[in-house]
């Protein structure tokens, strides 16, 4: 709160308290002295420094090239300019730390070339972006350039003469900042990670140049251009550009973050946005003495780092919700920097040190040094990955997501709001991991980031036609249509709701959420129980999907297992020729491999993946059909992976899909031993399935039984329930019931 | 040679020099004393011992079960009996090393149960095997049981009374040995890994019981049953059973091993057969004082271990030729034992110690102790994985196979004989690895070993209809037919021939082989050059496949890349509905995804796998068609993996398929940097393609050029050649030419 007043004060008085000494962004003169004094005594920092010297020396030996912009992502000029800003930043830092003039000279030479050429470049020749850059095909990458280059400039500021600085500022930095701000309000004035980059870039160069106007624009947006963009304007991802009344860096810090630090776009984009959030916050802190954005909104920036770490699987890879490329992880450079900043400018949480230690690299700045120093003193504590439930939206009340962890199991359950333009239509979907490996997957995005062969590294058309569609996710599809009928506007107006959660009792964790708007007239509630028990090889997932509708619908519930089917009890009829499963809403991308019914009360599907045996057991109903599919249809450019899936199709009004998922055994191709290759679940029974209650019993082969019940469509924690079936009467208080019986 | 005389002596005099003291198979009383004295000072041995004590104690606590035989592989009784013999062997060894009677008692109790029950068991209820067992569904597993159990009996021999021994021998071991020998001549009297197990089992129990007749039978087979099996009899894999005049352990050591130690069935089966080869050889050595099979045939058993290690990729996994399950590796228990034996009973090759060190476990016997002791004295030297060319067949002149290694590249080239009943119809096929990862794969087998859900862990029908067929391999298919028309008899009567090889010059390695019989009337020669150069990111593969036929044929050349296509220049027309590519010879298992021609002189196919970018560049001819396929058609039981392939189809008489394969770049999903994502090969030109010569130039993007020429269908090293094209005249001696031009 203190900050808000301070900012208001700034606005009113126009006074900027930026320090005059340099450097002042990610390093200060005082920090530099401390670092120099301790060189050789702080292993991780020293190692990073050594690696960086090697890298930068090799790059300097290669020579400087500032080519006329021509290519998109992955192409030469794009990658060259990207390397340029990354290496200028590194060289600038090396100049400060080592004191060797050659590094400053390298930055200076390159900046002078940019200052000479930039004014001659018009817009980038690619016309694809809603906000084109001049160096890169999109202004976003230009903003990346300035965020990094402002640090380089800050580091060599005192190495330059006043005349040189004046030349660089007038011919390069001011026009550069103008292009990504005043000349591109559709890019600068948004609530979006694009604008975080844009405002941070302008703010950081403003701090270096001590230009109050730029700093104000960065913090609060272009007030004069608030209406410059049409309300219906869309970006390249089909997202709305305007968010009425919200603009500038502070608004971007305020709006998309939940109080717990979850960014509505999901961890892949949160990782990407963390860098400018952090870099500008650090710069403001160092350059102004008293502007500490790290305490803003109850330290949301620090919490955001914790949330990012929790939103990664056992291998450290982010759960790929929304448009997310798989494999991105806590080892990314943005997270290396974010962890250090959260530690140093936050509350010195020593569990962050263990992450930094695993990363084996720190940022070469004040924060990275502090982290390395603390590690050298063995101050790190293990980071505890635990079950978490994050709210979505600025108040945390717009749905959310949960990661339920138990032993080697991780289940991500998504009931968020739409998540801006990179959001998917996947309310109440899940993904399931064992040992950090995807066992039931979310497809992720249809894009190969920075690989030029694939549409210049940009989004592929299949991202829209497949990856965003509901059928691409492990959730309910009604009448073969995408949720919200694929309308971004409608999807953005709604969110799912958490009904209840309990992740305290390790024996039985439960999270339940409801979705009322994705399919008008159809309400669906999904409850996941994760049961952990000595008699189970691994934790057992129980999935209760309760659907209510007055009208008859076709319900599809896809299940994107990864691996090789071992056995099942479906009377599958393999197709002699394959056809796409449908013609729109993503169905056109699925080959129909086989279809069949099961004559058993329980449908069983057993498969092997990454040397783990798994089984899904599902309460079969007469008329249920099972469709084996594989992605890759209508994909002339071979953009899609070809992954398998099993769709359950049921025609019903009200119905409950009851199933379990378990990892119960292992295989070794070296010893050729198969251990517990078959399910530990002997029986699943629907004891009660009414509009008001769902009660299920699960019996293990060992004889042990679990009883689970949900009072449907309520979150009331104080209400008493009583339910009788057979000889059993369950009485409990609150929305759910769990009991284990030997 | 000395041994041959010794054996003759044995035969003539009937004298057996077996020692009377016990143990005498894999441990001797003297060795045991040495081990006991050094316990606690030899880390790897101590650690293995500790782990084994933990394992055996846990198993003993679980209790003994000797169930009536019922299930096949993967099923309870099969796995239980398998665990029984493995744990009896371990417990026996623990009794010797620790001196604790509880281990001997455990073995004794279990043996007494077997002695009580075995006589009451008839044949195993499964009727699948050509040679059924009584404990297991196939006599092979019964032989496994006896190889291990004879060691256990040997270890506790002196713990038992004479009466107990007599009971065990009369009621268990004699009838057991009789069943797998005299009662199963079709199993015992073969040249096959089955018979190696059978003869070793009978020989080892013969040594323990000091029974000369059994030892003789083991070494030389059942002479009286030589004609007991019909010449046309087949085993379960469709292989012939009889090999006239060859029977017994010695013949199995003589015949299927090449002089360099390559076993004709390939490394997966060689690994499996090594255990009985080694165990019986060690037992003979220890039990008879002067019978050293390790020096037999120029130490072929020791060489065999070296060959096995070389026939594994960078990760230690065996190249999966013939029926081989992927993932089997040098970390298998059989190799752990074999490495120790080759070291201890061979020539103390210190490079084997580094393998043992990586395995982190040794066999608990004399050899394992010697290895662990040497490692504790830091005597290990690195094992050098190098390019190798192995001949096939007992004289090494029945074709062969090569592993060409260069930097991170490994190319396996197969021009073997058929390799007995587990052989594939895949003459002149290859597989290609980078960083130990499969980039161009061989499908391997269609089986899930020991996974009961899949046909009791046995071979699946798709192993015959798909995995063995020529189209499942990276080689030539003529007129959509499998080589030798799929006739095992014809295939077994022929082999490919090595023409020339040079693996000395690391800049340019070359291996060329020819196949004249697979397709009567069609001769094909395939030459692989692997070029390594500073200007190449990775070594470059040049593939020259020269086909000669008087008649017009349809030639299919499949290319089973793994990964995601990035770009290509084929005018691909994707199929709107998928059909199998054919109806027999394996084609019925391929879905046809797309087909097209390329209007370019060079067909380019660029893909990404395991974060490596690769490109195949192929000299396109007018009329060439490219067919994109995926396995999985006609697979009602979902037994196949669904892997991609690209088939080049050309109609011609004489023709040469000229192509390059390169790994030229990398991708990181963490940094999102794509490095060198496009081919380094700028041009490939066919300078000369006549019946006599193939000359090709390859030009890199850097301007560097390579000139390669082959004098077709000759191995003459002294012949002079001269070839003129354009302004160039090449003159050279021998079958090939290579020059690099800056």
């Amino acid at each position: 709160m203190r900050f808000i007043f301070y900012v208001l004060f700034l606005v009113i008085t126009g006074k900027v308290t930026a320090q005059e000494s340099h450097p002042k962004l990610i390093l200060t003169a005082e920090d530099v002295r401390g670092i120099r004094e301790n060189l050789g005594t702080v292993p991780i920092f020293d190692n990073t420094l050594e690696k960086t010297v090697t890298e930068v020396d090799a790059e300097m030996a290669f020579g400087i090239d500032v080519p006329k912009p021509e290519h998109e992502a992955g192409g030469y000029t794009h990658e060259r300019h990207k390397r340029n800003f990354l290496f200028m930043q590194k060289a600038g830092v090396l100049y400060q730390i080592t004191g060797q003039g050659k590094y400053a000279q390298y930055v200076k030479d390159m900046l002078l070339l940019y200052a000479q050429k930039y004014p001659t470049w018009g817009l980038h020749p690619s016309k694809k972006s809603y906000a084109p850059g001049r160096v890169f095909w999109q202004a976003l990458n230009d903003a990346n350039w300035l965020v990094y280059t402002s640090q380089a400039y800050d580091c060599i500021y005192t190495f330059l003469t006043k005349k040189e600085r004046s030349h660089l500022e007038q011919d390069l930095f001011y026009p550069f900042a103008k292009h990504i701000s005043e000349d591109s309000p559709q890019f600068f004035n948004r609530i979006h990670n694009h604008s975080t980059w844009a405002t941070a870039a302008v703010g950081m160069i403003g701090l270096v140049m001590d230009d109050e106007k730029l700093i104000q624009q960065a913090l609060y947006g272009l007030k004069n251009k608030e209406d410059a963009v049409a309300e219906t304007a869309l970006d390249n991802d089909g997202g709305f550009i305007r968010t009425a009344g919200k603009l500038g860096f502070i608004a971007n810090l305020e709006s998309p973050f939940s109080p717990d630090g979850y960014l509505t776009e999901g961890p892949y984009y949160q990782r990407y946005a963390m860098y400018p959030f952090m870099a500008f916050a650090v710069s403001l802190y160092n350059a102004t003495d008293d502007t500490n954005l790290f305490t803003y909104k109850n330290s949301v920036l620090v919490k955001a780092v914790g949330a990012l770490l929790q939103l990664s699987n056992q291998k450290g890879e982010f759960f790929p919700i929304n448009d997310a490329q798989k494999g991105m992880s806590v080892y990314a450079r943005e997270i290396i920097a974010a962890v250090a900043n959260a530690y140093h400018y936050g509350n010195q949480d020593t569990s962050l040190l263990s992450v930094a230690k695993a990363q084996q690299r720190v940022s070469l700045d004040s924060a990275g040094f502090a982290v390395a120093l603390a590690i050298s003193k063995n101050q790190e504590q293990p980071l505890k990955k635990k079950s978490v439930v994050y709210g979505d939206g600025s108040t945390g009340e717009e749905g959310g997501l949960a990661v339920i962890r138990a032993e080697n199991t991780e289940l991500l359950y998504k009931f968020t709001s739409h998540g801006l333009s990179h959001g998917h239509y996947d309310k109440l979907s899940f993904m399931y991991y064992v040992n950090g490996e995807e066992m039931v997957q979310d497809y992720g995005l249809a894009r190969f980031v920075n690989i030029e062969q694939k549409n210049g590294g940009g989004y592929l058309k299949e991202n829209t036609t497949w990856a965003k569609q509901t059928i691409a996710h492990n959730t309910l599809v009604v009448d073969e249509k995408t949720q919200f009928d694929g309308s971004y506007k409608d999807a953005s107006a709604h969110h799912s709701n958490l009904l209840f959660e309990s992740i305290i009792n390790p024996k039985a964790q439960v999270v339940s959420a409801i979705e009322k708007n994705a399919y008008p007239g159809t309400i669906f509630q999904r409850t996941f129980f994760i049961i952990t028990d000595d008699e189970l090889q691994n934790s057992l997932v129980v999935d209760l999907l309760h659907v209510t509708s007055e009208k008859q619908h076709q319900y599809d519930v896809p299940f994107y297992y990864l691996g090789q089917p071992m056995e099942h009890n479906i009377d599958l009829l393999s197709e002699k020729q394959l056809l796409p499963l449908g013609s729109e809403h993503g169905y056109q991308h699925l080959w129909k491999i086989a279809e069949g019914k099961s004559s058993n009360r329980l449908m069983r599907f057993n498969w092997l993946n990454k040397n783990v045996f798994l089984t899904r057991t599902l309460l079969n109903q007469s008329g249920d059909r099972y469709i084996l599919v594989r992605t890759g249809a209508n994909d002339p450019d071979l953009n899609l992976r070809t992954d398998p899936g099993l769709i359950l199709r049921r025609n019903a009004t009200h119905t409950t899909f009851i199933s379990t998922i378990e990892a119960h055994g292992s295989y070794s191709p070296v010893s050729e031993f198969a251990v517990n290759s078959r399910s530990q679940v002997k029986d699943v029974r629907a004891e009660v399935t009414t509009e008001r209650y769902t009660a299920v019993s699960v019996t293990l082969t060992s004889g042990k039984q679990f009883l689970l019940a949900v009072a449907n469509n309520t979150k009331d924690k104080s209400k008493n329930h009583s339910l009788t079936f057979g000889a059993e009467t369950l009485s409990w208080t609150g929305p759910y019931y769990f009991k284990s019986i030997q």
Side-chain angles (χ1 to χ4, degrees), chain A:
Chain A
M1 285 297 106
R2 194 179 69 83
F3 177 72
I4 293 292
F5 289 110
Y6 167 76
V7 168
L8 288 174
F9 175 74
L10 263 185
V11 174
I12 293 160
T13 65
K15 191 176 164 219
V16 175
T17 57
Q19 294 185 357
E20 287 193 12
S21 72
H22 292 267
K24 59 181 173 181
L25 297 189
I26 61 161
L27 280 166
T28 66
E30 193 186 332
D31 291 334
V32 168
R33 274 192 299 279
I35 290 172
R36 287 189 183 184
E37 280 166 16
N38 285 283
L39 283 183
T41 65
V42 188
I44 294 187
F45 193 90
D46 293 336
N47 293 343
T48 307
L49 181 62
E50 193 184 322
K51 278 183 213 153
T52 307
V53 163
T54 306
E55 286 167 23
V56 174
D57 286 356
E59 187 68 20
M60 284 168 58
F62 174 82
I64 293 174
D65 187 20
V66 177
K68 185 169 160 61
E70 184 182 341
H71 304 116
E72 296 174 13
Y76 176 70
T77 69
H78 182 101
E79 295 303 315
R80 185 64 260 168
H81 286 294
K82 186 172 168 187
R83 281 180 80 83
N84 283 353
F85 71 68
L86 290 172
F87 275 98
M88 277 198 283
Q89 192 267 357
K90 288 181 182 187
V93 166
L94 288 187
Y95 169 62
Q96 285 295 331
I97 295 175
T98 70
Q100 290 187 48
K102 67 174 181 179
Y103 296 117
Q105 190 65 46
Y106 174 72
V107 177
K108 176 181 162 182
D109 290 348
M110 203 185 294
L111 284 179
L112 287 172
L113 271 173
Y114 271 105
Q116 175 195 325
K117 297 186 173 188
Y118 184 82
T120 72
W121 296 336
L123 287 184
H124 189 281
S126 162
K127 302 293 172 224
K128 283 189 188 165
S129 175
Y130 80 101
R134 288 176 62 175
V135 179
F136 298 93
W137 73 282
Q138 52 179 350
L140 171 63
N141 300 118
D142 280 27
N144 300 156
W145 188 96
L146 191 54
V147 163
Y148 282 87
T149 304
S150 61
Q151 298 171 46
Y153 179 48
D154 178 44
C155 282
I156 70 157
Y157 193 91
T158 57
F159 181 83
L160 301 169
T161 65
K162 196 171 173 185
K163 198 174 158 196
E164 286 164 345
R165 292 198 293 262
S166 171
H167 167 48
L168 290 178
E169 294 183 2
Q170 296 314 314
D171 293 335
L172 180 60
F173 294 126
Y174 274 110
F176 202 109
K178 180 165 178 287
H179 176 68
I180 61 172
S181 56
E182 281 185 48
D183 295 351
S184 307
Q186 79 279 28
F187 168 66
F188 193 84
N189 266 359
R190 300 181 68 185
I191 296 301
H192 195 282
N193 72 67
H194 285 189
S195 302
T196 303
W197 279 98
T199 53
V202 169
M204 287 168 75
I205 197 67
L207 286 169
V208 184
M209 302 193 300
D210 216 351
D211 183 303
E212 184 204 331
K213 186 174 159 225
L214 290 186
I215 299 169
Q216 293 292 333
Q217 281 184 353
L219 290 170
Y220 304 107
L222 297 158
K223 303 265 187 199
N224 57 330
K225 302 262 174 143
E226 203 169 342
D227 300 319
V229 182
E231 280 189 33
T232 54
L234 300 176
D235 67 11
N236 289 56
D237 306 308
F240 289 112
I241 290 176
R242 277 189 66 172
T243 313
K246 294 187 176 176
L247 47 162
F249 187 85
I250 298 293
N252 269 286
L253 187 52
E254 180 63 44
S255 187
F257 276 112
S258 80
D260 292 330
Y262 172 71
L263 189 90
T264 191
E265 294 180 279
Y268 178 79
Y269 277 93
Q270 180 165 353
R271 176 265 330 166
Y272 184 64
M274 279 319 282
Y275 191 83
F277 273 124
M278 286 285 181
F280 190 33
V282 167
S283 299
L284 276 171
Y285 182 89
N286 284 327
T288 66
D289 265 348
D290 51 359
T291 315
N292 190 351
L293 288 183
F294 288 93
T295 58
Y296 185 72
K297 198 175 169 178
N298 283 316
S299 303
V300 74
L301 274 183
V302 175
K303 287 180 180 164
V305 174
L308 268 172
L309 298 175
Q310 293 294 345
L311 290 173
S312 70
N313 68 21
Q314 276 188 23
K315 297 199 289 187
E317 295 170 353
F318 296 121
F319 296 108
I321 60 169
N322 296 333
D323 287 343
Q325 183 163 276
K326 292 181 180 179
M328 179 55 75
S329 77
V330 301
Y331 299 99
R333 60 179 177 277
E334 298 92 344
I335 307 295
I336 291 174
V339 162
N341 290 328
Y343 173 82
H344 186 57
Y345 300 102
N347 46 6
Q348 286 78 52
D349 175 353
T350 51
S351 73
L352 293 173
L353 299 175
S354 66
V355 180
K357 196 174 183 181
Q359 289 166 337
Q360 288 283 334
R361 205 171 174 130
V362 292
S363 46
L364 288 181
D365 54 23
S366 308
F369 180 74
V371 160
L373 190 67
I375 292 172
S376 77
K377 295 176 180 167
N378 298 314
Q379 292 173 0
E380 79 269 14
Q381 296 293 323
L383 176 79
K384 203 169 168 195
K385 292 270 196 100
K386 57 190 180 183
S387 293
V388 288
V389 180
Y390 290 117
D392 193 0
S394 58
T395 62
E397 287 162 349
E398 298 171 20
L401 80 173
V403 183
I404 314 181
R405 293 187 161 93
E407 298 176 325
N408 287 322
T409 296
E410 295 174 305
L411 184 127
L412 184 129
Y413 180 25
K414 184 172 187 278
F415 41 92
T416 60
S417 61
H418 193 65
L420 303 184
S421 61
H422 293 296
H424 287 196
Y425 299 89
D426 62 351
K427 300 279 185 259
L428 308 203
S429 69
F430 77 100
M431 43 192 106
Y432 168 66
Y433 293 70
V434 178
N435 304 328
E437 301 287 353
E438 291 181 297
M439 297 299 177
V440 182
Q441 73 155 343
D442 187 288
Y443 187 88
L445 48 54
R447 179 185 181 186
F448 298 88
V449 180
N450 289 334
I451 299 182
E452 198 187 18
Q453 293 97 308
K454 289 292 191 187
N455 187 34
Y459 283 98
L460 301 168
K461 60 184 182 304
E462 291 77 11
N463 195 59
T464 304
T465 60
W466 165 251
K468 286 189 170 186
Q469 303 296 319
T470 308
I471 189 64
H473 301 82
N474 299 297
T475 188
L476 179 73
V477 188
V478 177
D479 296 331
E480 300 186 33
K481 290 199 187 307
T482 282
Q483 296 175 351
F484 301 100
D485 210 21
S487 158
Y488 176 66
K489 187 179 170 191
D490 289 352
S492 301
H494 299 284
H495 54 80
S496 305
N497 282 100
L498 175 68
L499 282 178
F500 57 89
E501 50 94 353
S502 170
I503 52 177
I504 301 302
N505 174 9
K507 294 265 173 194
Q509 303 181 69
V510 57
V511 178
S512 187
I514 194 163
E515 172 56 45
K516 299 183 176 180
N517 302 293
Y519 293 110
T522 303
I523 293 173
F524 54 112
Q525 175 181 1
R526 191 171 208 169
T527 307
F528 284 104
F529 283 85
I530 313 282
I531 302 170
T532 304
D533 193 282
D534 286 346
E535 292 182 19
L536 285 164
Q537 277 271 312
N538 289 282
S539 298
L540 175 73
V541 176
V542 182
D543 174 9
L544 307 177
L545 175 56
H546 177 71
V547 189
T548 314
S549 180
E550 292 306 319
K551 290 190 184 156
Q552 178 90 357
H553 293 288
Q554 175 188 291
Y555 298 125
D556 283 355
V557 184
F559 182 75
Y560 290 100
Y561 69 96
L562 280 176
Q564 184 79 29
M566 290 287 109
E567 67 178 356
H568 58 77
N569 60 3
I570 308 166
D571 299 320
L572 266 189
L573 190 67
S574 290
E575 300 290 332
K576 293 297 171 197
Q577 57 187 57
L578 304 191
L579 288 165
L581 190 58
S583 58
E584 54 180 0
H585 290 270
Y587 282 73
Q588 71 274 26
H589 292 297
L590 289 172
W591 291 117
K592 180 180 167 188
I593 307 292
E595 180 175 346
K597 295 187 175 189
S598 182
S599 56
N600 304 278
R601 204 170 56 76
L602 296 179
M603 190 285 290
R604 299 281 207 157
F605 184 78
N606 171 274
W607 78 104
L608 175 66
N609 190 39
K610 303 279 181 186
N611 294 324
V612 172
F613 288 103
L614 306 105
T615 297
R616 187 184 194 206
T617 302
L618 190 137
L619 260 180
N620 184 51
Q621 292 193 357
S622 139
D624 281 358
R625 285 180 288 159
Y626 300 91
I627 306 168
L628 213 70
V629 295
R630 186 170 288 279
T631 51
N634 284 296
D635 179 26
D637 298 328
L638 309 173
N639 285 336
L640 293 176
R641 300 194 308 271
T642 52
D643 294 340
L646 177 65
I647 297 174
L648 162 61
R649 180 165 285 180
R650 180 180 293 177
N651 288 297
T653 52
H654 309 311
T655 191
T656 308
F657 298 91
I658 297 169
S659 61
T660 62
I661 310 169
E662 40 166 344
H664 46 72
S666 64
Y667 185 70
S668 161
V670 176
S671 74
E672 295 187 336
F673 277 119
V675 180
N676 292 341
S677 68
R678 287 201 164 93
S679 170
Q680 286 192 277
V681 171
K682 188 173 150 198
D683 199 9
V684 179
R685 301 191 78 89
E687 305 292 1
V688 178
T689 51
T690 62
E691 229 183 300
R692 287 191 60 204
Y693 292 106
T694 304
V696 170
S697 67
V698 178
T699 310
L700 303 185
T701 50
S702 68
K704 189 158 210 166
Q705 201 177 48
F706 306 109
L707 272 181
L708 308 79
V710 174
N712 294 326
N713 202 356
T714 174
K715 55 197 310 182
D716 189 335
K717 287 183 182 172
S718 58
K719 192 166 178 197
N720 295 319
H721 300 276
S722 182
L723 196 54
T724 302
F725 53 90
E728 190 98 35
T729 295
L730 309 183
S731 297
W732 76 93
T733 305
Y736 77 97
Y737 174 89
F738 174 83
K739 184 169 73 166
S740 113
I741 308 162
Q742 188 58 52

